[in-house]
Amino acid sequence: MQKDKFDRIISFLLGASWAIVIFGALITFKVFFFLGFSLALFTTVVFVVVALFLILGLDSFAINRQRLDEARKQTELLEKIYSQQTT
């Protein structure tokens, strides 16, 4: 199945987002480690939660796009059926 530009962009952004989460968590932990282990861990968890929320937003864009495409297909089929019934 071929993907359109929107799907390719969303897939790329999702992959890049996961990389940012992984490396960002490591960097965040290392940056805040001098303030203490517990603060560094807390800051890293907050960073990961916010990043995962943003990934969830990107994924919802892709899912809503698929739902819209399916609704368009169903509407087209229903219009064909209706036009056959009225003639």
Side-chain angles (χ1 to χ4, degrees):
M1 181 190 304
Q2 283 189 336
K3 293 183 176 182
D4 62 346
K5 288 182 182 180
F6 179 80
D7 291 330
R8 288 181 184 169
I9 291 170
I10 293 295
S11 295
F12 173 76
L13 289 175
L14 281 171
S17 297
W18 278 110
I20 289 170
V21 167
I22 293 169
F23 291 117
L26 179 64
I27 291 169
T28 303
F29 185 78
K30 286 187 175 187
V31 166
F32 286 97
F33 189 70
F34 77 94
L35 295 173
F37 178 77
S38 60
L39 182 63
L41 187 62
F42 175 75
T43 308
T44 303
V45 169
V46 168
F47 172 80
V48 168
V49 168
V50 170
L52 290 177
F53 180 75
L54 295 175
I55 288 174
L56 184 63
L58 280 174
D59 199 30
S60 69
F61 285 145
I63 290 172
N64 285 334
R65 172 69 182 236
Q66 290 173 354
R67 288 174 57 192
L68 179 64
D69 289 341
E70 287 298 319
R72 284 181 181 160
K73 289 177 188 176
Q74 290 175 5
T75 303
E76 184 180 321
L77 288 173
L78 287 172
E79 287 174 350
K80 286 180 183 178
I81 291 171
Y82 181 74
S83 67
Q84 289 177 354
Q85 294 292 327
T86 57
T87 58

